[in-house]
Amino acid sequence: MVEISLRNVDFAYVKDPVLRSIDLQINKGEFVSLIGPNGSGKTTLLKLVAGLLKPTCGTVLVRGMEPGRMRKRQLARIVGFVTEDLNPIYPFQVKQIVLTGRLPYKSSFFASWDELDFQKVKEALAKVDALEYLDRYFGQLSAGEKKRVSIARILAQDTPILLFDEPTAHLDPGHAVEVLEIMKKLHDEGRTILTAFHEINFAVRLSDRIVMMKEGKIFAEGKAEKVLTKENLEQVYNTRFRLVNDPSTGLPYVIY
Ligand code: ADP
């Protein structure tokens, strides 16, 4: 079953399109990674699926509905978006941040939280091994801790489709691997995942399919072995690459 569909999609912020002729279908339970240089359109594509932007032409569908036209609450029960950096302007505690993930289940913005909401918040924080931060101020956490709390917020939102924008950006290897393991767990639970990755080898490790973007277009897509050729990588990133076989997975490992 197709859960996310982009057909012949163009998008322009101002005049020149930054996404052009995008055709992409993602099935339920698939893990798809977007890779490509800075500015190639990965974040913009995620924002179209998240309903934050509407296509200039073509159609974006999530479960057969247009995210840009859906009621926000209805969309937020289906799609969760972990953006690159969550930066609340007010000194919120972690529990308050994660509780906002429950807003789509409330009848109004001022409705009070109930036991179920607090239970979901605790479950979500436990899942990312961050329950101990419950009462801490979000702004005082490290980058890795913040990222885990941002993921917990989306878990409290409890959506079948998850979008991530560079989920391992600014994380040291230990924290990056923790985030990858959480993403793998979410995929194993049957959720559909679409993520942008800066680190190509992370995409290889987790994805069913890789979508390689260049200048707003899909340059190549498919399994890692097919997409990550030396020629494709060098054309897209404009630098020299070496590829070796990772003996532990049998998958390509990219060196640059
Ligand atoms: P990526 O995620 O691959 O780095 P983006 O989707 O962020 O790429 O950006 C694609 C293009 O759109 C870039 O040329 C970028 O400068 C431009 N762009 C991104 N956001 C805006 C914006 N809010 N207004 C105008 N141009 C933007």
Side-chain angles (χ1 to χ4, degrees):
M1 184 182 105
V2 175
E3 276 212 310
I4 301 171
S5 163
L6 292 94
R7 285 205 187 279
N8 208 14
V9 168
D10 285 5
F11 179 80
Y13 286 100
V14 199
K15 190 160 158 279
D16 296 327
V18 299
L19 287 178
R20 282 174 294 159
S21 311
I22 301 287
D23 267 305
L24 179 65
Q25 326 301 320
I26 298 174
N27 292 319
K28 185 172 178 352
E30 247 195 315
F31 193 123
V32 175
S33 294
L34 306 171
I35 62 167
N38 296 336
S40 57
K42 304 180 294 297
T43 303
T44 305
L45 194 156
L46 290 170
K47 286 183 175 171
L48 283 164
V49 177
L52 300 174
L53 301 172
K54 289 181 189 163
T56 315
C57 95
T59 322
V60 178
L61 297 176
V62 172
R63 292 197 162 179
M65 295 169 283
E66 290 181 60
R69 294 178 194 274
M70 284 168 78
R71 283 175 43 233
K72 290 291 165 238
R73 227 147 54 93
Q74 184 191 11
L75 180 63
R77 289 182 192 197
I78 300 174
V79 179
F81 188 15
V82 181
T83 49
E84 199 176 353
D85 284 308
L86 179 63
N87 259 328
I89 44 165
Y90 187 82
F92 285 114
Q93 283 175 297
V94 166
K95 60 185 169 202
Q96 293 169 310
I97 297 274
V98 182
L99 266 173
T100 60
R102 301 297 302 162
L103 279 172
Y105 299 95
K106 298 281 112 183
S107 53
S108 80
F109 190 79
F110 300 103
S112 54
W113 307 112
D114 57 30
E115 228 7 81
L116 177 66
D117 297 317
F118 287 111
Q119 187 190 324
K120 290 277 183 191
V121 165
K122 285 184 184 163
E123 278 172 18
L125 281 167
K127 212 164 194 167
V128 299
D129 207 12
L131 192 52
E132 65 196 280
Y133 312 141
L134 192 70
D135 295 314
R136 300 240 332 247
Y137 283 99
F138 183 78
Q140 294 174 0
L141 301 178
S142 75
E145 291 162 350
K146 278 184 182 158
K147 185 58 77 177
R148 270 149 59 207
V149 170
S150 319
I151 296 175
R153 186 170 74 97
I154 299 306
L155 296 183
Q157 200 177 321
D158 202 11
T159 58
I161 299 174
L162 291 170
L163 311 175
F164 293 85
D165 194 3
E166 311 267 7
T168 54
H170 319 301
L171 299 185
D172 61 56
H175 286 118
V177 168
E178 274 178 17
V179 168
L180 296 183
E181 282 170 358
I182 294 165
M183 292 174 81
K184 180 173 182 325
K185 204 156 71 178
L186 294 169
H187 180 223
D188 291 345
E189 286 173 3
R191 295 183 212 243
T192 307
I193 298 188
L194 176 61
T195 178
F197 266 125
H198 203 61
E199 173 50 70
I200 302 166
N201 292 311
F202 290 168
V204 177
R205 201 153 134 180
L206 294 179
S207 311
D208 297 316
R209 197 146 52 101
I210 292 182
V211 175
M212 188 185 239
M213 299 189 61
K214 183 186 182 188
E215 293 165 4
K217 286 188 167 175
I218 296 180
F219 184 85
E221 68 153 309
K223 294 216 169 289
E225 307 85 302
K226 180 187 144 204
V227 172
L228 300 179
T229 62
K230 187 171 156 55
E231 295 72 28
N232 281 352
L233 287 162
E234 291 186 350
Q235 274 194 58
V236 164
Y237 289 94
N238 214 12
T239 188
R240 300 285 288 273
F241 280 86
R242 241 167 18 96
L243 276 161
V244 291
N245 191 269
D246 180 346
S248 63
T249 58
L251 293 167
Y253 188 86
V254 175
I255 302 168
Y256 48 92

